[in-house]
Amino acid sequence: MTSDNPPTAPSKLESAARTLTGRAVEVVRVDGLLRQARTGRSAILVVRGQAGIGKTALLDTAAARADGFRVVHIRSVEAEQQLPYAGLHMLCNALHAEFEQLQPVQRSAIDAAIGMSHEAPDPLLIGLATISLLRDTAAPKPLLCVMDDAQWLDKRSAQVVGFVLRRIETGSVAVLIGVRDPYLIRDLEGLPSLRLGGLPYADSRALFNSLIRGRVDEPVIGRIIAETQGNPGALIEALKHLTADFAGGFGVDTVRPPGLADGLSAQVNRLPSGSRRMLLLAAAEPTGDPALLWRAARELAIAPDAGAPLESAGLLRLSPRVTFRQPTWRAAIYGAAANADRRAVHGALAKATDPDAAPDRLIWHRALAAHGPDEQLARELEQAVPAARERGGPAAAAAFLERSALLTLDPARRAERALTAAAEKFDAGAAAGAARLLVTAELGTLGEAGRARLERQRAQLAFATSRTADAADRLLNAARKLRHIDLGAARESRLEAIVAALFGGRSALLRGVAPVAEALPPSPAGAPHLLDQFLDGLVARFTDGYPAGYRPLRDAVRAFGRDGDQTDADRWSWLAGAVAADLWDDSSWEALTGASLSVVEQGSASAALPYALTGRAIVELNSGDFARATALVAQADVVSAAMGSPRLACASLMLAGWQGDHLMAPALFDTARRAAGERGEGRTLTAASYAQAVLYNGLGRYDAALAAARHATQVEELTLYGWSLIELVEAAARSGDLAAAAGALDMLAKRTRLSGTDWALGIEARSRALLSDGARAEALYREAIERLGQTRIAVHHARAQLLYGEWLRRQGRRIDARAQLGAGRESFVAMGATAFADRAHRECLATGEKARRRGVETSGQLTPQEARIALLARDGLTNPEIGERMFISARTVEYHLHKVFEKVRITSRHELHLVLDRTVSLASPAAPDGWRQPEKRVDVA
């Protein structure tokens, strides 16, 4: 995809999780298989279906739902199909530790099969040995064996699998096998099976909506779904290659998808000339209407029998809808045609289109059939823009306006139309197309107003594609030129300048906001416009201080949420959401970010989509849904890349800080700082410092947190300043710098008391409690927990419980402390806030709670080697790195880790920090080989 793309579909891998749309019945079948295995009875299911139908997604879902199972994945490859027992070899590798424990006779049988000995393989012994291998593996915990692409299994392995699955009735073993149609594996015939068919239309439509951002003409959606026949993989592949030429369903992309077989061209060239022309006609008509196709064919004097060779060759279906056998063939055939042939078929389609039913489509086909400039047609295209926008969104409107500009001969009108088209392209998220149209406008004749608009649009484009430090200056300069020409555009350009200054950070804010205030024209007479209120409030906020801007910004935020002008809400509601967070108004913050995302996902103001996605991600993060926040950040990154814009890093940095990965997060912070420093994007630098303060407060490294929080509070940036003050109070109080803590609390209270929301007052109470004693401190902690519990800000509610629990423990009230600490820990674990969960767990241990609350003593069961491996894994070393230190293989490390997980009752290495105290290392004398005895008391000061 090029940078001229509108924000459309993520890659196939990024969308794989969505391909289970409409598979509820199949998931129930899989759950039944897992339930049966849990009862000690083996369960087998062979999943069949064509390529892309969702077999792998269903198998992956089964693995994700297999709580408490040992999961083994095996994927066959076609290149090994002729290698005897290649599949069995993969299984033995996956179960290496258990294989080593087999009885000698059974091991020898499998060794003979996989070439580890010179004995002749005995098929019966091999099958019996494999049954033992699976049962032995499933003895400690149920086993799920997932075998994908089984059509490539070698014959010998297939025989073993069939033999085993027909005889392994007992044992907690579940086997899921994926086989692609139309391949037939006789050894698997007769086993329980499930055939995946195409998705129903409604589910395919839901999948389409999840992959395409923006409006698309409904008949075109229906044609694409019909061509993909309900196959999720085919639908993803078809949508992956869409570019700006798609134009919301009006256009046909001319980009040949990579890997398209050249054999298609040879097949087309062998067709009769009339059939070839009809094939091009079908490619140029995007709705798949057979009646329209036949009317256009008559206009081109194509014989009625021209369609028969196309259907016989499997290229095209003509009824009940015109569809290509492969959706990507449409673009390939259209792109390979000569321009004259394209114009001819579009001319025929224009004549065949009903002017009353689809006047916009008629004009579009006429425009594509034009041989040169045509002023009348250019005007008609302009007039059809509202209808095109209704049908295909901003992308369609931009395409009509661009075509109108290209058909215009007069240099002044051509430049004006190009400017208008560039603005639509920009709103549609097609930065490269907007830049191209600005060049067209510059080559024409522009008056003073046109030159001011051109300068503004260039500044907008520069900010969107680079976010460099000078963007605010360029936007402000454009606003000055627009002041006496278009007051509304001038004020909005000033708002854009403030946004650019916000991203620029300290220097840009100081340099950019003051000139905005000086040059700000008075609000129009009468009731102020929504953007006037918003702009006035932001200027006051950054020139006269937070209190001066509070009331006008609060009123503007409420207006956005109530009855704001739709165009303004489309473009700026993401910013209104950020302002709501700065005002500690969690209710408006949640509502505005949700509304903003909904609006831009429907195709309005697509250029704002990355901001809407990241803004919503920060809401989800604060509500404790880290998984949803991560997904939104990933979507924002995909959309930003498609638009040719730098990624918005703030949300991902905050996520890293709250997730608390002390190994990965610092590297992410450094990378973001380097990229932001090159662009002069100061807000990202502040976000990195704020996230670092959160990380180090979670880890209990308060000196480092204090330094990071001080850096983050050097400038009063929107939202980040208040949030960084929270971290500064806690870090300073815990570091013993009470003066710094009191100063930060004073600055924080000036904001929170002005706001008066439960979020604001809960944060203030918690922060004030850190600097209080006795009954006063306890009352403040209780107030904080109560107030924050009324809000959506779950991360700080859990932190209030943690801080209160820590205070209670230091008061000697261990039972009371345990309740608060346990509640906070459970919340942090559910969120994925590793560092804070670890901090809460250490405090729980210090109250006398045992390391594991499940009532089973496990630590003494670990061998010295297992304890050493567990500690190294806890500290972030990979299996190969642990193996190098201990002079064992990575597979042996994996084997021992699985034993550790079973003994201490966890499911992954990410939970080791919950059972291993971070203050204990391999050199610590606290316990043999560094394993911390759960019942040992450790005072955490």
Side-chain angles (χ1 to χ4, degrees):
M1 297 175 71
T2 68
S3 59
D4 192 18
N5 297 340
T8 57
S11 71
K12 183 173 181 179
L13 288 177
E14 290 158 334
S15 303
R18 301 178 187 173
T19 59
L20 276 180
T21 301
R23 299 295 188 198
V25 173
E26 290 82 356
V27 171
V28 169
R29 181 80 179 270
V30 164
D31 284 344
L33 173 128
L34 297 175
R35 277 198 306 274
Q36 181 174 326
R38 286 189 178 99
T39 66
R41 294 181 297 126
S42 67
I44 296 100
L45 187 62
V46 180
V47 182
R48 301 181 183 275
Q50 60 183 282
I53 204 68
K55 300 184 300 298
T56 299
L58 182 61
L59 268 55
D60 289 345
T61 298
R65 298 169 77 89
D67 294 331
F69 277 71
R70 166 99 177 263
V71 180
V72 174
H73 286 267
I74 297 171
R75 183 184 295 274
S76 302
V77 293
E78 187 175 8
E80 296 182 357
Q81 193 175 20
Q82 302 305 318
L83 300 178
Y85 296 109
L88 179 62
H89 186 242
M90 282 191 291
L91 177 63
C92 292
N93 275 342
L95 304 176
H96 174 76
E98 291 78 7
F99 173 67
E100 296 289 337
Q101 303 300 319
L102 283 176
Q103 295 177 4
V105 173
Q106 293 178 332
R107 277 191 57 185
S108 298
I110 294 181
D111 281 343
I114 62 179
M116 300 299 290
S117 75
H118 298 294
E119 298 178 12
D122 184 329
L124 179 60
L125 281 178
I126 293 169
L128 295 174
T130 305
I131 292 174
S132 296
L133 176 62
L134 294 177
R135 283 178 176 163
D136 291 350
T137 304
K141 62 193 303 185
L143 170 68
L144 171 61
C145 186
V146 177
M147 304 177 67
D148 203 0
D149 284 331
Q151 70 275 1
W152 307 132
L153 264 179
D154 62 277
K155 184 177 180 180
R156 296 295 186 187
S157 294
Q159 289 174 341
V160 172
V161 171
F163 177 89
V164 168
L165 297 185
R166 286 180 174 84
R167 288 164 177 80
I168 187 167
E169 296 179 357
T170 60
S172 299
V173 179
V175 181
L176 267 175
I177 302 176
V179 181
R180 183 186 302 177
D181 282 341
Y183 296 92
L184 178 66
I185 303 178
R186 296 190 182 279
D187 297 283
L188 301 182
E189 290 301 300
L191 294 172
S193 66
L194 171 66
R195 186 173 299 279
L196 296 185
L199 296 177
Y201 182 86
D203 292 323
S204 294
R205 185 69 169 82
L207 178 60
F208 185 101
N209 291 342
S210 73
L211 297 171
I212 286 289
R213 304 289 185 182
R215 196 174 303 147
V216 177
D217 192 12
E218 281 295 333
V220 176
I221 297 175
R223 187 265 302 166
I224 293 174
I225 291 175
E227 282 182 335
T228 55
Q229 301 180 58
N231 186 308
L235 182 59
I236 292 169
E237 188 66 21
L239 301 182
K240 187 169 66 175
H241 300 291
L242 296 185
T243 71
D245 292 334
F246 184 62
F250 277 87
V252 179
D253 285 313
T254 58
V255 177
R256 180 188 292 259
L260 193 63
D262 291 334
L264 176 63
S265 298
Q267 188 176 6
V268 170
N269 290 335
R270 289 194 294 268
L271 294 169
S273 60
S275 298
R276 290 200 303 272
R277 205 163 204 199
M278 191 166 190
L279 193 64
L280 176 58
L281 189 64
E285 200 291 294
T287 67
D289 182 353
L292 175 59
L293 181 71
W294 285 114
R295 291 198 301 270
R298 190 166 57 243
E299 292 289 341
L300 292 171
I302 297 174
D305 61 354
L310 300 176
E311 291 190 302
S312 298
L315 293 169
L316 204 64
R317 287 183 293 269
L318 296 172
S319 179
R321 187 190 291 267
V322 180
T323 57
F324 284 80
R325 193 176 79 190
Q326 298 291 336
T328 52
W329 288 0
R330 179 182 296 270
I333 289 166
Y334 189 84
N339 287 334
D341 292 334
R342 290 186 201 168
R343 286 195 296 269
V345 297
H346 281 294
L349 287 167
K351 293 177 181 178
T353 299
D354 185 341
D356 296 323
D360 48 345
R361 286 212 170 276
L362 187 153
I363 295 167
W364 179 250
H365 285 304
R366 284 181 55 207
L368 294 176
H371 288 77
D374 185 328
E375 179 58 31
Q376 176 62 30
L377 189 53
R379 281 198 300 270
E380 291 178 8
L381 282 165
E382 274 187 317
Q383 293 164 1
V385 164
R389 190 194 308 280
E390 180 66 25
R391 194 188 294 271
F400 271 60
L401 288 166
E402 180 177 22
R403 182 63 56 174
S404 174
L406 296 176
L407 290 174
T408 303
L409 190 59
D410 180 78
R413 278 196 293 269
R414 183 182 178 91
E416 177 68 23
R417 286 169 176 163
L419 277 177
T420 305
E424 288 285 352
K425 283 276 189 183
F426 179 78
D427 278 347
R436 184 174 61 245
L437 283 161
L438 290 181
V439 172
T440 300
E442 196 169 26
L443 293 174
T445 303
L446 289 171
E448 182 182 3
R451 288 192 297 273
R453 286 175 58 197
L454 176 66
E455 185 167 344
R456 179 192 176 194
Q457 289 185 32
R458 284 202 183 283
Q460 289 175 329
L461 198 59
F463 175 66
T465 56
S466 64
R467 288 203 298 272
T468 51
D470 66 341
D473 296 333
R474 295 180 64 177
L475 285 162
L476 185 59
N477 190 48
R480 290 191 180 103
K481 293 183 178 180
L482 284 165
R483 179 177 183 178
H484 302 294
I485 300 168
D486 185 337
L487 184 58
R491 294 184 68 82
E492 189 168 16
S493 186
R494 284 182 169 83
L495 185 54
E496 292 164 348
I498 287 184
V499 170
L502 290 176
F503 277 93
R506 180 180 181 83
S507 60
L509 277 170
L510 295 176
R511 191 175 67 249
V513 177
V516 169
E518 293 168 4
L520 198 62
S523 299
H529 189 275
L530 174 57
L531 287 190
D532 295 329
Q533 289 180 277
F534 203 38
L535 183 56
D536 291 342
L538 284 170
V539 169
R541 160 74 169 77
F542 289 107
T543 54
D544 299 326
Y546 186 90
Y550 177 81
R551 186 173 294 278
L553 284 176
R554 183 199 62 186
D555 293 343
V557 163
R558 290 177 179 175
F560 264 98
R562 185 178 63 249
D563 56 0
D565 177 79
Q566 187 62 43
T567 302
D568 296 336
D570 288 353
R571 185 185 294 273
W572 295 111
S573 55
W574 68 267
L575 181 58
V579 170
D582 192 56
L583 303 177
W584 310 92
D585 183 353
D586 59 305
S587 179
S588 295
W589 187 31
E590 197 278 337
L592 284 168
T593 54
S596 173
L597 187 56
S598 176
V599 166
V600 297
E601 283 186 330
Q602 294 170 11
S604 301
S606 296
L609 182 55
Y611 301 100
L613 286 166
T614 53
R616 186 64 189 183
I618 297 172
V619 172
E620 300 292 353
L621 164 62
N622 279 268
S623 72
D625 193 342
F626 289 10
R628 174 64 175 155
T630 300
L632 289 167
V633 168
Q635 291 178 46
D637 288 346
V638 171
V639 173
S640 294
M643 293 170 57
S645 301
R647 70 188 297 263
L648 296 166
C650 288
S652 62
L653 294 172
M654 292 179 190
L655 261 172
W658 279 99
Q659 287 171 330
D661 189 332
H662 70 289
L663 296 175
M664 298 298 295
L668 177 65
F669 298 156
D670 290 343
T671 300
R673 282 190 174 104
R674 284 194 297 272
E678 292 172 0
R679 293 193 302 271
E681 193 174 319
R683 183 171 178 79
T684 298
L685 300 177
T686 301
S689 294
Y690 161 72
Q692 202 165 24
V694 172
L695 171 69
Y696 289 133
N697 270 332
L699 292 170
R701 295 175 54 186
Y702 300 113
D703 289 344
L706 178 58
R710 277 177 166 152
H711 182 268
T713 53
Q714 286 181 353
V715 61
E716 289 199 23
E717 296 208 43
L718 193 71
T719 306
L720 287 174
Y721 180 73
W723 291 2
S724 299
L725 286 173
I726 301 172
E727 305 305 321
L728 181 54
V729 172
E730 182 172 336
R734 286 298 175 86
S735 299
D737 192 341
L738 299 183
L745 175 60
D746 182 60
M747 295 300 298
L748 180 63
K750 289 178 181 178
R751 296 160 176 269
T752 54
R753 291 187 176 180
L754 191 62
S755 173
T757 64
D758 281 328
W759 181 12
L761 297 180
I763 288 293
E764 180 188 341
R766 194 188 79 192
S767 300
R768 196 171 295 281
L770 285 165
L771 299 177
S772 302
D773 297 313
R776 171 65 173 160
E778 181 161 16
L780 287 168
Y781 279 126
R782 287 183 174 276
E783 179 188 351
I785 291 171
E786 181 181 357
R787 286 189 179 278
L788 290 170
Q790 304 296 318
T791 74
R792 297 166 174 82
I793 314 301
V795 291
H796 282 295
H797 179 252
R799 280 181 71 174
Q801 293 174 315
L802 169 60
L803 287 168
Y804 183 33
E806 290 174 334
W807 182 85
L808 286 168
R809 189 185 69 76
R810 286 162 180 76
Q811 304 304 307
R813 295 163 58 184
R814 296 194 171 202
I815 301 300
D816 294 338
R818 196 176 300 166
Q820 295 296 330
L821 293 168
R825 178 180 61 185
E826 293 302 319
S827 295
F828 288 132
V829 169
M831 295 172 194
T834 305
F836 283 105
D838 185 35
R839 176 173 148 188
H841 183 70
R842 291 198 307 271
E843 288 282 343
C844 282
L845 295 178
T847 67
E849 180 184 272
K850 293 185 178 181
R852 300 301 299 170
R853 301 177 62 187
R854 301 183 184 180
V856 177
E857 193 63 56
T858 59
S859 64
Q861 300 172 8
L862 291 186
T863 67
Q865 188 173 38
E866 287 170 346
R868 291 176 64 83
I869 289 172
L871 284 163
L872 291 170
R874 177 207 66 182
D875 292 336
L877 273 69
T878 64
N879 288 359
E881 290 170 339
I882 296 171
E884 287 180 10
R885 288 200 182 190
M886 299 186 65
F887 304 102
I888 57 178
S889 71
R891 189 171 299 280
T892 301
V893 172
E894 181 180 8
Y895 168 73
H896 284 298
L897 277 176
H898 280 296
K899 293 297 184 185
V900 170
F901 299 161
E902 292 167 8
K903 289 180 178 181
V904 300
R905 301 207 178 175
I906 60 176
T907 58
S908 77
R909 67 201 303 137
H910 300 298
E911 297 176 87
L912 284 169
H913 69 281
L914 295 177
V915 293
L916 292 173
D917 187 349
R918 288 193 180 279
T919 63
V920 178
S921 68
L922 292 177
S924 171
D929 254 343
W931 171 256
R932 183 179 184 278
Q933 297 293 341
E935 64 270 32
K936 179 177 178 179
R937 308 292 194 268
V938 177
D939 185 41
V940 182

